């Protein structure tokens, strides 16, 4: 029983951290998002940009 509770708590914590990270990215990039919207990109286009898997060519420097 305790292991089931621990699994659920871990899953909820992981979900919370992921959602907060995405929210932080959107808040940080709200001005570029506004520019993309003014250029005609849809909300779905912008959402796809933030939720897609990173490219294998992406290098953190």
């Amino acid at each position: 029983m305790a292991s089931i509770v621990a699994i659920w708590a871990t899953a909820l914590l992981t979900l919370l951290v992921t959602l907060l990270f995405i929210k932080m990215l959107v808040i940080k990039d709200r001005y570029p998002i506004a520019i993309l919207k003014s250029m005609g990109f849809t909300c779905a286009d912008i959402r796809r940009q933030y939720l897609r898997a990173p490219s294998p060519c992406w290098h953190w420097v």
Side-chain angles (χ1 to χ4, degrees):
M1 179 65 177
S3 63
I4 294 173
V5 173
I7 290 171
W8 276 103
T10 303
L12 288 174
L13 185 61
T14 302
L15 180 65
L16 177 66
V17 168
T18 303
L19 291 175
L20 287 174
F21 183 74
I22 291 172
K23 184 176 181 178
M24 179 193 68
L25 283 176
V26 170
I27 290 172
K28 180 183 70 97
D29 292 340
R30 71 176 166 226
Y31 294 115
I33 290 172
I35 292 170
L36 288 172
K37 283 184 176 182
S38 71
M39 292 172 57
F41 287 90
T42 64
C43 290
D45 294 332
I46 296 169
R47 187 178 304 119
R48 200 173 310 123
Q49 174 184 350
Y50 279 92
L51 296 180
R52 71 170 189 214
S55 159
C57 297
W58 186 267
H59 297 286
W60 292 95
V61 179

